[in-house]
Amino acid sequence: MTNAISLLRAQYSQSFGWLEGTMDGVTDEVARFNPPGAPMPIAGLVAHIVTGVDFFVLHFAKGDAPLLLSSHADSSGVSEPPPQGAWEEWGNRVQVDLPVFHEYAKAVFASVDEYLSTLSDDDLSKEVDMGPFGTQTLEWIFNIMILNTYSHTGEISCIKGMQGLKGYPM
């Protein structure tokens, strides 16, 4: 029988695989392309996805310093940390060194899996003070970050398509 934690671990693994597959073929030029309308460049979207998981899961939920500000402070591939709150301006200006960033992203998702492996289903109801984001349960944090990863990966796929590239990996 599958429990909630094993399901979350599978979902995080699959969401990261889907993001990695969608990012296949993204060059610096493709990542910096500024699409018409409201979407931001791929660089800002992928930085938002991974730093969001880093801050929401590893910092707020787990209580550790985000990797962006600790073990990967000098090796995240992100030109500046995200702001608390509105991130659209940041997403339009942030610079991302894609190969370095990919290593940071792998470390974030591996750390999430490691953290999840320490939890039980009962832990998911634990409430966490997320500062400007209010008090949320671990279940809410994990679910919103999976949703965030898939939603913005869809935007990345679309922006690749606008540039004549294959979006999703399949």
Side-chain angles (χ1 to χ4, degrees), residues 76-141:
S76 68
V78 178
S79 62
E80 62 184 282
Q84 286 190 351
W87 59 276
E88 291 81 6
E89 239 181 71
W90 171 82
N92 280 304
R93 76 172 176 266
V94 68
Q95 299 297 308
V96 177
D97 180 330
L98 293 172
V100 174
F101 180 80
H102 184 251
E103 294 305 312
Y104 160 66
K106 288 192 318 190
V108 167
F109 280 87
S111 294
V112 168
D113 185 63
E114 181 182 317
Y115 173 47
L116 280 166
S117 75
T118 69
L119 299 177
S120 70
D121 288 0
D122 291 338
D123 291 326
L124 295 176
S125 61
K126 176 185 171 194
E127 291 191 340
V128 176
D129 178 6
M130 296 184 59
F133 304 101
T135 300
Q136 305 295 341
T137 64
L138 288 181
E139 177 183 23
W140 182 89
I141 295 168

Side-chain angles (χ1 to χ4, degrees), residues 12-168:
Y12 270 90
S13 175
Q14 292 164 358
S15 71
F16 182 57
W18 196 243
L19 173 62
E20 278 191 305
T22 302
M23 287 295 294
D24 188 46
V26 173
T27 62
D28 288 336
E29 181 181 356
V30 170
R32 288 191 308 266
F33 171 76
N34 195 5
M40 66 188 57
I42 289 172
L45 290 166
V46 73
H48 168 71
I49 292 167
V50 177
T51 61
V53 171
D54 192 2
F55 279 80
F56 272 55
V57 176
L58 300 178
H59 176 60
F60 287 120
K62 186 178 181 193
D64 286 352
L67 300 186
L68 181 72
L69 304 178
S70 60
S71 64
H72 284 73
D74 295 324
S75 60
S76 68
V78 178
S79 62
E80 62 184 282
Q84 286 190 351
W87 59 276
E88 291 81 6
E89 239 181 71
W90 171 82
N92 280 304
R93 76 172 176 266
V94 68
Q95 299 297 308
V96 177
D97 180 330
L98 293 172
V100 174
F101 180 80
H102 184 251
E103 294 305 312
Y104 160 66
K106 288 192 318 190
V108 167
F109 280 87
S111 294
V112 168
D113 185 63
E114 181 182 317
Y115 173 47
L116 280 166
S117 75
T118 69
L119 299 177
S120 70
D121 288 0
D122 291 338
D123 291 326
L124 295 176
S125 61
K126 176 185 171 194
E127 291 191 340
V128 176
D129 178 6
M130 296 184 59
F133 304 101
T135 300
Q136 305 295 341
T137 64
L138 288 181
E139 177 183 23
W140 182 89
I141 295 168
F142 286 120
N143 285 329
I144 200 73
M145 288 294 94
I146 290 170
L147 175 64
N148 189 63
T149 299
Y150 278 119
S151 296
H152 292 304
T153 299
E155 289 180 283
I156 292 168
S157 177
C158 181
I159 295 167
K160 283 180 70 179
M162 295 168 96
Q163 297 177 75
L165 301 171
K166 178 181 175 187
Y168 289 132

